[in-house]
Amino acid sequence: MEGFLNLAWLLPIPPFLAFVAIILFLNRNKTVSALTAIGSVLVSFVLGWPIAFAVFTTPHFGEHPLYGELFTIPTGTTDLMVGYQVDPANALMIFMVTFLLVMIFVYSSGYMTFPSHLNKEDYPQAYAQNKDPRYSRFMAYISLFATGMLGLVVSNSLLTFFVFWEIMGLCSYLLIGFWFEKESAKKAAFKAFITTRIGDAIMFAGMMLLWMWSIDNTLVFEQILAPANLEHLAEMMIHVPVFNFTTPAVGLIAVLIFFGTIGKSAQFPLHVWLPDAMEGPTPVSAMIHAATMVSAGVFLVVRMFPLFFVAGEAAPASMQFVAGIGAFTALFASLIAVAQWDIKRVLAYSTIAQLGYMVAALGTGAYVAGFFHLITHAFFKGLLFLGSGSVIHGVEHGFHHAHAHGGDHGHDEHGHDEHGHGSSIVHRRDGDLDLNDPQDMRNMGGLLKRMPITGWTFIIGGLALSGFPFVTAGFWSKDEILSSLWYTEDSLIFWALAISALLTAFYTARQITLTFLGQPRSEGAAHAPESVKSMTIPLILITPFAIALGWLGIPVDFPGLGSLFPHWIEHQLEPYIEYMHFEFPHPEFNILVLLVSFGVALGGLALGWFVYRKGLPEGEIDPMRRWLGPVWWAMHRKFWIDEFYQYTFVALSRGVAKFLYWVDDVWIIDPIINAIGRIGVWLGFVAAKFDQYVVDGAINAFGWMSDRAGSVLRSSQNGQVQVYLMVVVVSVTIWLLLYALPLILTLV
């Protein structure tokens, strides 16, 4: 079996080869490009699942994880090892990532139709094929994205982990801004790139400190997470002069590395990029929010958890910081999601909140619970995002149908908005409404009848997100987190996450009700068709995981159900946990926690349905806007965090940049350089004149004298004896004057 597991390093290779092949050779053929991309992740899936299940079915595999070396890179002082690692933790990630990538790639082949914001006259061939003009480029980009995630999962060192991490960062920039004709897409891509780079830069600083202060000056997981090295870091005391405090090195390193998670997993205060990432195509949203990028941020803490565990013992404030950031983010993002109208933006803030759940769990030591929720969340959140894309497609096609049959919905021949429709804005107290926006839930309603497959799979995903008791995966993973927090007696974080779960169930019911129930509130919703099979089949295939995957985490002592699947997740991870020498809470069944889980899930769903069961009749604003007034508006405006950043950090950055520009271009640098240049030009002019009149003059004069002397000498060569005698006499005379005369004078 070990020989088979040694093939794990091959997982990122097929999508990378697909990326190269599409970019260099296949880009002209959209169909072949799509088949190549899908085939590549299918190969990774066919290889990855047997590897994952081989790990799952090997007793106590975690006691002897597999470490493999591919090659080393000499640096002069040390050798950087590049290799791979297989253990129960990344086996679960391989199981999740490879499957979801296949689903998303297949979905993309149907989703990436001709975008409505483009003019069909500019792209007649693409319009005739009903495919995005840059269809092949999209397939290449997502293939490289998949390469980054798969490479990250199997990496054996923090250095290669970071390299693949940055590959995903690059791809997120390219894919969020894929429809760069839209100004909003360009801004969103830039915002995501800059925001995540802030976290990455701080994380890299932590990596460098970890390398310098580790015993062996290495970033290989096996070595930096070894008990001896962690003990060494815990004993090393570091004084931080900026903040004037002393802390164990392990605590400082843990906090710095955690900033990578804050950036990639969109935790407060670097959360602002993720909602704007919705400007990219929906499959990209699913990849970022479910299968790859944000999952990588949490997986970083999972992978480095022994370091965080030791940091929590040596410097408790470091882990309190992690847990506090997670809990605050979960509650903060849930409040914002309650007041959003964009169907994908609601899910974006939901993702931020759920990631906060995971981070808070890991920050309190609940390793298994946090990791368990990471796996289950990826499946039902992927289902929800793909379902939302199907809804948007359907409503957009409905608007096109209405327009083609004579409906006047604000279209004009050339005046299209970002969704391809004419501007028809209605100003409302609960936010401006574009009557042609296919992503605004106020333009939906009644879609369950029009799109039954999309509707029912979305509802199942929503129930899983809400933690509907017993049936769904989300219930068991969330309950596990709450039970672990109850066990740790961290009541503040417990209730913050409980309230966040209540709000999650509420806005999920709101989203389901406004989107799928009631009567259509626009022509787009009234004529929305069901999506094509390449989009609906992935929804159907993901749905069972959104239900049954949570059953693998049922506590052993849970009444009646504990014997069915005796906490399979924990049993898989426990040998690896023992091997890594850290601990995690083992919560016992508690009826109070169960009642809280029941209450927040069912209570939130019931409250959401009660408030929005009648939909939103034409002209009626959100009932919560009427009841909460300014509070609701603050949630709708995301508590003005974006504006705050714009007028503080962004304005400061621009001010500093402008100041440095003036220093460089106007005041100091360029004037000095230009002055030096002008002096150089003047000196060059002087040198040229000196060369012309002095050097060249002297040389020319010498040449003239030589020429005259030559002429005189030539004239003397006429064959006459008298002339030769005169030359002799003159020569002797000159000799006497120059040499003999001084001798004569000395004699005298």
Side-chain angles (χ1 to χ4, degrees):
M1 185 195 68
E2 183 174 327
F4 176 69
L5 296 180
N6 281 319
L7 299 177
W9 67 272
L10 290 172
L11 287 176
I13 302 299
F16 179 73
L17 294 178
F19 164 74
V20 173
I22 295 171
I23 290 294
L24 297 181
F25 310 110
L26 307 176
N27 56 82
R28 294 184 179 276
N29 193 314
K30 295 180 174 59
T31 301
V32 175
S33 297
L35 292 175
T36 301
I38 295 171
S40 69
V41 291
L42 190 60
V43 171
S44 295
F45 168 76
V46 171
L47 178 63
W49 265 36
I51 290 175
F53 280 96
V55 174
F56 299 155
T57 55
T58 302
H60 306 288
F61 181 84
E63 297 177 355
H64 307 284
L66 177 65
Y67 299 97
E69 179 180 344
L70 297 175
F71 56 88
T72 58
I73 304 174
T75 64
T77 58
T78 186
D79 293 335
L80 301 177
M81 186 176 70
V82 177
Y84 56 94
Q85 179 174 337
V86 181
D87 56 66
N90 70 352
L92 285 167
M93 292 294 291
I94 291 171
F95 166 81
M96 178 267 288
V97 172
T98 54
F99 177 80
L100 286 179
L101 285 178
V102 173
M103 297 297 103
I104 293 170
F105 274 54
V106 173
Y107 181 94
S108 298
S109 66
Y111 183 88
M112 293 303 293
T113 55
F114 190 85
S116 56
H117 64 270
L118 295 181
N119 192 340
K120 63 182 180 182
E121 285 77 16
D122 297 334
Y123 306 94
Q125 184 179 359
Y127 182 79
Q129 298 174 344
N130 194 30
K131 294 185 184 297
D132 193 290
R134 297 184 292 273
Y135 187 94
S136 295
R137 184 185 301 182
F138 178 84
M139 291 297 173
Y141 288 169
I142 62 174
S143 297
L144 187 60
F145 210 142
T147 301
M149 186 62 190
L150 292 171
L152 178 149
V153 168
V154 299
S155 290
N156 74 325
S157 80
L158 192 55
L159 180 62
T160 53
F161 188 104
F162 188 78
V163 170
F164 287 112
W165 176 283
E166 292 303 304
I167 289 175
M168 285 196 295
L170 170 64
C171 292
S172 70
Y173 171 77
L174 297 173
L175 288 167
I176 293 171
F178 186 76
W179 290 325
F180 53 79
E181 297 86 358
K182 300 191 294 182
E183 187 66 24
S184 56
K186 290 189 291 186
K187 290 181 178 179
F190 183 75
K191 186 177 183 179
F193 189 81
I194 295 298
T195 306
T196 54
R197 292 295 79 69
I198 294 172
D200 293 352
I202 300 174
M203 173 187 171
F204 190 76
M207 290 170 54
M208 293 301 97
L209 294 179
L210 179 59
W211 183 84
M212 288 190 300
W213 293 339
S214 292
I215 296 175
D216 298 321
N217 297 125
T218 180
L219 291 175
V220 176
F221 291 128
E222 184 182 15
Q223 297 170 353
I224 61 176
L225 301 180
N229 189 61
L230 296 178
E231 184 179 354
H232 166 72
L233 295 175
E235 293 173 351
M236 179 185 293
M237 302 304 294
I238 304 297
H239 180 71
V240 184
V242 178
F243 301 100
N244 195 27
F245 75 96
T246 301
T247 181
V250 68
L252 177 61
I253 292 171
V255 170
L256 292 176
I257 288 178
F258 176 64
F259 268 90
T261 298
I262 292 177
K264 278 291 193 289
S265 292
Q267 298 295 280
F268 183 88
L270 300 181
H271 67 285
V272 293
W273 70 271
L274 193 57
D276 290 354
M278 301 304 98
E279 291 293 337
T282 295
V284 175
S285 302
M287 290 186 71
I288 291 176
H289 290 74
T292 58
M293 195 159 165
V294 298
S295 298
V298 178
F299 185 63
L300 171 64
V301 181
V302 171
R303 175 58 77 212
M304 298 292 294
F305 193 78
L307 182 139
F308 282 88
F309 177 78
V310 174
E313 292 185 331
S318 60
M319 289 296 276
Q320 292 170 1
F321 174 74
V322 173
I325 289 291
F328 178 82
T329 303
L331 184 57
F332 180 75
S334 297
L335 287 169
I336 296 175
V338 167
Q340 301 304 307
W341 290 117
D342 188 301
I343 187 173
K344 288 206 300 180
R345 199 169 290 267
V346 173
L347 296 176
Y349 280 106
S350 170
T351 300
I352 297 173
Q354 297 304 305
L355 293 168
Y357 245 89
M358 305 168 202
V359 170
L362 293 169
T364 56
Y367 174 86
V368 173
F371 192 24
F372 181 31
H373 194 52
L374 172 65
I375 301 299
T376 61
H377 172 264
F379 284 94
F380 59 72
K381 186 53 62 70
L383 178 61
L384 288 170
F385 266 108
L386 297 183
S388 68
S390 184
V391 167
I392 295 168
H393 247 220
V395 174
E396 193 167 47
H397 280 289
F399 279 126
H400 287 313
H401 174 85
H403 178 62
H405 289 80
D408 184 10
H409 303 282
H411 300 273
D412 57 42
E413 184 176 357
H414 300 290
H416 291 73
D417 64 9
E418 64 179 10
H419 301 292
H421 306 288
S423 179
S424 185
I425 307 297
V426 177
H427 300 287
R428 296 166 49 129
R429 289 177 56 221
D430 56 359
D432 292 346
L433 169 62
D434 182 353
L435 298 176
N436 297 306
D437 187 353
Q439 298 187 192
D440 198 309
M441 295 185 295
R442 292 170 291 183
N443 289 330
M444 300 177 186
L447 291 178
L448 187 61
K449 296 180 180 178
R450 300 289 308 177
M451 309 175 69
I453 298 176
T454 299
W456 284 114
T457 53
F458 191 97
I459 290 171
I460 292 172
L463 293 177
L465 173 63
S466 304
F468 190 84
F470 300 134
V471 180
T472 63
F475 168 77
W476 295 109
S477 56
K478 282 187 177 181
D479 183 73
E480 178 80 8
I481 291 176
L482 293 176
S483 297
S484 299
L485 291 175
W486 187 274
Y487 175 82
T488 60
E489 299 181 352
D490 199 332
S491 60
L492 187 61
I493 293 180
F494 175 88
W495 288 111
L497 296 187
I499 296 171
S500 174
L502 175 69
L503 294 171
T504 299
F506 175 81
Y507 64 67
T508 300
R510 173 180 182 262
Q511 189 176 40
I512 292 173
T513 303
L514 293 177
T515 303
F516 295 102
L517 305 183
Q519 298 299 318
R521 293 183 294 277
S522 69
E523 291 293 332
H527 296 91
E530 181 62 273
S531 298
V532 296
K533 290 184 178 180
S534 60
M535 296 170 64
T536 57
I537 290 177
L539 299 178
I540 296 171
L541 294 178
I542 297 174
T543 299
F545 293 94
I547 299 173
L549 193 62
W551 302 348
L552 301 177
I554 300 176
V556 177
D557 55 351
F558 195 92
L561 301 176
S563 60
L564 297 177
F565 301 95
H567 215 316
W568 182 85
I569 294 283
E570 182 176 326
H571 288 316
Q572 283 294 319
L573 293 173
E574 194 165 13
Y576 182 64
I577 292 169
E578 293 177 356
Y579 170 81
M580 299 299 291
H581 298 90
F582 65 87
E583 300 175 356
F584 67 96
H586 296 271
E588 298 178 356
F589 173 75
N590 190 300
I591 187 64
L592 293 177
V593 177
L594 181 64
L595 291 175
V596 171
S597 298
F598 264 66
V600 297
L602 297 179
L605 288 169
L607 182 61
W609 179 84
F610 178 79
V611 174
Y612 296 99
R613 68 189 187 281
K614 296 181 180 179
L616 287 175
E618 187 175 356
E620 183 179 336
I621 66 171
D622 192 308
M624 298 296 292
R625 175 69 172 95
R626 295 197 307 269
W627 299 339
L628 298 179
V631 176
W632 189 96
W633 188 247
M635 294 189 295
H636 179 70
R637 295 302 304 269
K638 300 166 286 184
F639 296 101
W640 294 281
I641 294 293
D642 284 322
E643 289 82 358
F644 173 75
Y645 284 175
Q646 190 68 31
Y647 291 113
T648 53
F649 297 110
V650 175
L652 178 63
S653 300
R654 287 178 174 173
V656 171
K658 189 173 182 179
F659 171 77
L660 293 176
Y661 164 77
W662 280 91
V663 169
D664 176 72
D665 199 63
V666 179
W667 294 340
I668 300 176
I669 307 298
D670 276 12
I672 292 175
I673 298 298
N674 292 335
I676 294 173
R678 285 192 291 270
I679 293 172
V681 171
W682 183 80
L683 291 175
F685 175 80
V686 172
K689 295 300 182 182
F690 180 84
D691 179 76
Q692 180 180 357
Y693 292 107
V694 178
V695 178
D696 286 359
I699 293 173
N700 292 335
F702 181 79
W704 179 85
M705 292 174 62
S706 299
D707 183 70
R708 297 307 303 167
S711 298
V712 172
L713 292 173
R714 282 197 305 272
S715 65
S716 65
Q717 304 297 314
N718 53 10
Q720 296 181 2
V721 176
Q722 296 88 338
V723 174
Y724 296 144
L725 289 173
M726 186 179 67
V727 170
V728 172
V729 171
V730 171
S731 300
V732 171
T733 303
I734 294 173
W735 180 83
L736 289 172
L737 290 173
L738 296 177
Y739 183 77
L741 184 61
L743 294 175
I744 295 172
L745 292 175
T746 57
L747 295 175
V748 175

